[in-house]
Amino acid sequence: MNRIDQRFAALKEQGRTALIPYITAGDPSPDYTVSYMHALVEAGADVIELGIPFSDPMADGPVIQKACERALKHNTRLSHVFAMVSEFRRQDSETPVVLMGYLNPIERLGYPTFAKQAAEAGVDGVLIVDMPPEEADEIAPLLKEHHLQSIFLVAPTTSEARAATICAHGEGYLYYVSLKGVTGAASLDVAAVDRQLDMLRKLTGLPLCVGFGIRDGASAAAVGKVADGVIVGSALVSRIAEGCERPESVTAELKTVLGEMRQALDA
């Protein structure tokens, strides 16, 4: 069983909500990513989404765009991202790691090479933001061959018929985008999220995890009441940005922010 499935099965048994932090690999420099990953686990992360730096992250707001810019200044490439996951796995063999990013770097490396090296590094799932399921016919079998799960996004504007197609291809968990806009957007309507999740539960048995708009313990707890997992990115990446001149001090900041969310979810 994939680590993602194992983790969600354990959480369901415990009656707990998954907490899934996102950080960009190589931000503010490649030297700190692995220590940040371990800090997130210590603070209560159940799954880690690790962003692949890309020059044009069109679904992301300014906070994560700038994180990609900082990582790319250090020439952070996919080979470095794999090395980070490998290093993380030396101490942590249990926490699932999902690579999240855009198609271009993966396509340049080549699908077979990407799937093989991701699996060898210890990656568990892949979320390619700009690859819909209809266009995944080439890479999906390669990911499956290497026991990597394909994770997909569903938006508030997604029709029920379209959502059914996405759910049929999805594995691991479904990433529900809580609002129209980019990462880091402000408004979050939990009642509207709840209605959309009800529709999705009729289509899939996958865990439903909600991202975009999770900023603090209160928003995490509110979404956690209706979702199987909450995903937080910009709230963490903004702390990394604020501490880029003293990156060693960011570890404590990340643990504080995520720890508050973990406490709120478990309360």
Side-chain angles (χ1 to χ4, degrees):
M1 186 187 286
N2 184 289
R3 269 184 285 248
I4 298 171
D5 292 336
Q6 290 178 351
R7 182 54 54 93
F8 276 100
L11 288 167
K12 185 176 182 179
E13 190 174 316
Q14 297 161 8
R16 298 174 68 233
T17 303
L19 180 56
I20 306 176
Y22 165 98
I23 58 172
T24 303
D27 174 36
S29 86
D31 296 335
Y32 293 93
T33 300
V34 176
S35 64
Y36 291 171
M37 291 171 72
H38 286 305
L40 294 172
V41 174
E42 289 172 23
D46 294 299
V47 179
I48 291 177
E49 288 185 350
L50 188 61
I52 301 168
F54 181 51
S55 57
D56 188 22
M58 70 285 289
D60 293 296
V63 171
I64 292 177
Q65 286 180 18
K66 289 174 183 174
C68 286
E69 289 172 11
R70 290 190 295 271
L72 290 171
K73 280 182 183 176
H74 293 278
N75 297 311
T76 306
R77 302 175 185 274
L78 263 173
S79 58
H80 302 127
V81 178
F82 295 145
M84 292 169 193
V85 178
S86 293
E87 186 181 341
F88 175 75
R89 285 282 172 242
R90 290 176 197 162
Q91 292 182 47
D92 190 322
S93 61
E94 295 182 359
T95 305
V97 174
V98 173
L99 294 189
M100 184 173 182
Y102 296 82
L103 183 59
N104 186 274
I106 296 170
E107 201 167 44
R108 288 192 64 182
L109 181 63
Y111 295 160
T113 303
F114 171 81
K116 181 175 183 291
Q117 292 185 359
E120 288 173 349
V123 173
D124 302 288
V126 179
L127 196 168
I128 306 172
V129 176
D130 52 349
M131 175 172 276
E134 295 89 345
E135 296 178 19
D137 288 349
E138 189 176 347
I139 191 171
L142 292 166
L143 296 177
K144 192 175 287 290
E145 179 186 335
H146 290 280
H147 309 290
L148 298 165
Q149 294 189 320
S150 298
I151 296 163
F152 290 99
L153 297 161
V154 175
T157 52
T158 304
S159 69
E160 187 168 345
R162 174 80 184 134
T165 299
I166 295 170
C167 290
H169 289 79
E171 299 170 304
Y173 58 91
L174 200 65
Y175 188 133
Y176 179 72
V177 176
S178 66
L179 44 86
K180 301 172 187 176
V182 293
T183 56
S187 58
L188 179 60
D189 184 344
V190 177
V193 170
D194 191 20
R195 288 192 296 271
Q196 289 296 100
L197 295 186
D198 280 344
M199 179 267 288
L200 292 170
R201 286 194 180 93
K202 298 171 186 173
L203 303 174
T204 182
L206 289 172
L208 304 179
C209 300
V210 175
F212 289 42
I214 312 294
R215 299 177 165 273
D216 50 27
S219 54
V223 172
K225 289 176 182 175
V226 301
D228 300 304
V230 298
I231 302 167
V232 54
S234 295
L236 298 170
V237 176
S238 62
R239 295 303 198 284
I240 294 173
E242 290 163 9
C244 9
E245 298 302 318
R246 41 182 180 78
E248 63 287 336
S249 70
V250 171
T251 304
E253 284 281 316
L254 296 178
K255 289 172 78 170
T256 297
V257 173
L258 201 70
E260 178 196 344
M261 294 184 184
R262 178 78 273 167
Q263 286 186 327
L265 285 171
D266 291 344

